[in-house]
Amino acid sequence: GPLRRPKIRFKMPAGVTAHVLGQSWQVGGIDLEVDQEGLALRLLQAGGKTGGEIQVEGHMRFVPKTMPMQWRLRVTDFPVAAALAAAQVDLPASGRLSADLHLSGSRKAPLVSGSIGLAGVTVMGVALGDATLTLGAMESGVAVKGTIFNRFTVDATAQLNPAGLRANGSLSF
């Protein structure tokens, strides 16, 4: 853009390999644009060499000061072992993690919604099975409902306010 309104555009074609979260990723493309009014990520896609795919897209406005945003993160079949290794947790585990998360609202009042799933989880040789959680956006927090390893049902809320974190929930067997 002109000097008074600079604009930066970054594109990376498919085929670049990067090492992130303890594994090698084949980048499927990045398309990012930043100017004085905001940031737009039209595409960030990467496939893990050991499995899994991550896609991120969305935008954030710098004006007004509330910084409104819309983001979407999709994770498909990410190895549980790789997630634990990235968190530096030494635990023999296998299975797959998938998520479809939406982040909206503003920097000071973000709203999170979507779903998280685990498939075929085994920990220390014990088959635990699958888990499905649904996240619902609520003011200053999130509601979580779902089943964990076909054994537990969870129904909870968590809110962060000036007085601190407030959580309420139930876990049924």
Side-chain angles (χ1 to χ4, degrees), residues 120-129 149 151:
V121 174
T122 299
V123 176
M124 298 176 60
V126 177
L128 298 176
F149 306 130
R151 292 172 178 84

Side-chain angles (χ1 to χ4, degrees), residues 46-167:
K49 297 267 182 162
T50 60
E53 181 175 286
I54 296 176
Q55 294 180 354
V56 181
E57 57 191 341
H59 64 272
M60 174 181 271
R61 308 261 312 147
F62 299 146
V63 179
K65 289 183 180 181
T66 58
M67 300 180 77
M69 62 182 153
Q70 281 287 344
W71 295 100
R72 183 171 187 191
L73 168 66
R74 285 179 294 221
V75 177
T76 308
D77 293 329
F78 188 75
V80 169
L84 292 173
Q88 298 180 340
V89 174
D90 186 19
L91 183 68
S94 63
R96 299 289 179 180
L97 166 70
S98 294
D100 187 2
L101 301 174
H102 302 266
L103 178 63
S104 60
S106 68
R107 180 180 57 84
K108 289 187 177 181
L111 300 170
V112 179
S113 63
S115 62
I116 300 173
L118 293 166
V121 174
T122 299
V123 176
M124 298 176 60
V126 177
L128 298 176
D130 302 339
T132 304
L133 297 174
T134 301
L135 284 68
M138 54 186 283
E139 187 177 335
S140 299
V142 65
V144 180
K145 293 183 181 198
T147 59
I148 302 172
F149 306 130
N150 300 318
R151 292 172 178 84
F152 310 105
T153 301
V154 65
D155 187 356
T157 60
Q159 290 182 288
L160 185 59
N161 56 45
L165 178 64
R166 178 170 171 82

